[in-house]
Amino acid sequence: MRARLALLLPALLLTSAAGEPMLVPDVSQREVEIQYSFTGADLLLFGAIVYPNGRQPKKPADILVVLKGPDQSIMMREKQKVAGIWVNADSVRFRSAPSFYAVASSRPITDVVDDRTAAIYELGVNKLQLSPSSLNESAELDRFQAGLIDLRERTGLFAERQGSVEITQGVLYRARLPLPARVIVGDYTAETFLVQDGRVVAAAVRDITIRKSGFERFMAVAAEQWPFFYGLTAILLAVGMGWAAGAVARRFRA
């Protein structure tokens, strides 16, 4: 980690001799491979803050790091008991809910930025812009959004680690964010924000790719590139396993 930063810092110190501070971010893994045995991982997000002329402000700055997965369209349904039977009642579709969202900060988010800034940069699970596609009442939308957030927090797909970002000597920072086993494949972004006096003064993004590997990758590629043969093979396998199970059962009965 320090070796990579040491190579970048001299050049960046020259380019930031005047103007706003700059961020030099990086991540421990640019690619994460998912196999059948994948049980989750911890990503280390680290970097350096480069100040104009190398002069740090008298008041320490804050760092917030956001790790976000591909957006999804999600239908949330509410269950209701009618005549002793649970049935679907009200529903709301969210057009752009992140499949994964985690944020880490050097201090509690409410102490770092105000509500308006947090909403603009989506800093915190309660500040996510989920874009509901239905014209439900505001109170109903809030209820469904709270339900979605609660569901994803319980499965580890939404997480907040406030106060977990470590800043060393006001220049180097590091944070760890969890990737649960249930993350989907796709392109992820790691966004780093530098905040001074409640204002975002610098931001930087690093891309992370999560993909399947081994047999899981082969099956995913086969399903995408040869859907007919993939479906036919799946049917034949299902029929074969059903026949084998039946044969075993008949043998034991005999």
Side-chain angles (χ1 to χ4, degrees):
M1 178 181 78
R2 291 186 178 180
R4 275 187 275 181
L5 289 175
L7 292 173
L8 290 172
L9 279 175
L12 288 168
L13 284 170
L14 293 175
T15 60
S16 64
E20 296 286 353
M22 295 178 60
L23 288 168
V24 190
D26 208 345
V27 293
S28 56
Q29 291 178 262
R30 295 290 182 92
E31 290 188 357
V32 178
E33 294 187 347
I34 295 179
Q35 300 179 345
Y36 71 93
S37 58
F38 182 72
T39 57
D42 269 348
L43 280 183
L44 175 64
L45 299 95
F46 60 92
I49 308 168
V50 182
Y51 291 103
N53 298 316
R55 296 178 181 176
Q56 297 183 31
K58 294 181 180 179
K59 184 178 180 181
D62 286 287
I63 289 286
L64 296 99
V65 178
V66 174
L67 182 60
K68 189 181 294 185
D71 286 341
Q72 294 176 315
S73 177
I74 297 177
M75 174 69 77
M76 290 290 293
R77 292 186 174 89
E78 192 174 55
K79 296 288 186 179
Q80 190 174 44
K81 202 169 187 178
V82 178
I85 300 174
W86 289 99
V87 297
N88 291 329
D90 297 331
S91 63
V92 170
R93 178 176 293 279
F94 296 103
R95 292 194 301 266
S96 60
S99 57
F100 175 82
Y101 177 92
V103 58
S105 58
S106 53
R107 291 190 295 151
I109 296 175
T110 54
D111 294 344
V112 177
V113 293
D114 57 25
D115 286 342
R116 181 175 177 273
T117 303
I120 291 173
Y121 294 97
E122 294 186 301
L123 302 174
V125 295
N126 293 318
K127 301 300 181 183
L128 292 174
Q129 307 299 319
L130 301 178
S131 303
S133 59
S134 51
L135 299 176
N136 301 63
E137 295 181 357
S138 177
E140 189 175 35
L141 288 174
D142 291 343
R143 188 175 78 251
F144 275 95
Q145 180 165 332
L148 174 61
I149 291 172
D150 177 67
L151 177 64
R152 298 218 154 174
E153 284 181 330
R154 284 189 281 114
T155 56
L157 293 174
F158 282 4
E160 289 188 357
R161 291 192 170 183
Q162 302 192 41
S164 65
V165 176
E166 301 175 14
I167 303 178
T168 304
Q169 297 179 348
V171 176
L172 302 178
Y173 68 87
R174 55 182 288 159
R176 290 189 180 275
L177 288 176
L179 277 178
R182 299 184 62 176
V183 292
I184 67 171
V185 298
D187 296 326
Y188 288 60
T189 57
E191 300 176 275
T192 305
F193 300 96
L194 176 65
V195 180
Q196 288 181 339
D197 297 322
R199 184 173 66 94
V200 175
V201 295
V205 180
R206 285 291 179 268
D207 295 325
I208 301 169
T209 300
I210 297 181
R211 60 186 180 89
K212 294 182 178 180
S213 63
F215 180 73
E216 289 78 9
R217 178 172 174 78
F218 170 77
M219 294 299 291
V221 171
E224 182 177 349
Q225 296 186 359
W226 308 291
F228 174 77
F229 294 105
Y230 176 84
L232 181 61
T233 302
I235 293 172
L236 292 175
L237 284 174
V239 171
M241 293 179 66
W243 178 85
V248 171
R250 287 193 298 271
R251 181 177 180 181
F252 277 101
R253 279 200 296 266

